[in-house]
Amino acid sequence: PICRNLTVKSGLQVKVFDIEPRPVRRLVELGAIAADSVRDAVEGADVLFVCLPSGEAVQRLADQPEGLLAAIKPRQIVVDLSTSNVDTTRALAVAFAQRDATFIDAPLARTRAAAEAGTLSVMVGANPSTFEAVRPLIETFASEITL
């Protein structure tokens, strides 16, 4: 639902990747572009949203040989919507900063119904300028956004 709202409401080209093909197909029907790998999803993006079951899953995605850290380019922003522990988040922020990219923490609150309705609550850990850069995108799926 988060990606569906982003695809439909942002007016931007949205590229999606998931290890499961069904959600990707549904999003492509709404106008998203299917990426065939993490690297393909990262290519040309200004902002990347990651939403996984845990911080450990985000860490694995970042660290794998063809993962986020291998693919990231300078000035790209990675927004982690997952619920990650503070140590993982801080370590990832350092690792991305070493590549001149930005990693921010933006965990979600509320229900799946709120995700469907685009009324999630998102608490964003970022500097003010990065927050302002990603806020319009987050507004496509959240009604309460806190820096």
Side-chain angles (χ1 to χ4, degrees), residues 1-2 4 35 40 48 50 56 65 75 78 84 89 94 99 104 114 118 127 134 136:
I2 294 166
R4 180 174 53 246
D40 185 31
L48 299 116
V50 177
E56 293 77 21
R75 294 179 302 285
V78 178
S84 301
T89 298
V94 168
R99 289 164 173 78
I104 64 173
N127 66 47
V134 299

Side-chain angles (χ1 to χ4, degrees), residues 29-97:
E29 290 172 4
L30 296 173
I33 298 167
D36 60 11
S37 66
V38 172
R39 184 171 297 281
D40 185 31
V42 170
E43 187 68 34
D46 295 321
V47 179
L48 299 116
F49 286 94
V50 177
C51 191
L52 294 170
S54 69
E56 293 77 21
V58 176
Q59 185 78 59
R60 285 191 304 273
L61 175 65
D63 290 341
Q64 63 185 317
E66 292 295 318
L68 284 175
L69 285 167
I72 202 73
K73 302 287 187 249
R75 294 179 302 285
Q76 287 180 308
I77 301 169
V78 178
V79 181
D80 180 15
L81 301 173
S82 314
T83 301
S84 301
N85 70 54
V86 69
D87 293 332
T88 300
T89 298
R90 287 179 178 158
L92 286 167
V94 168
F96 280 92

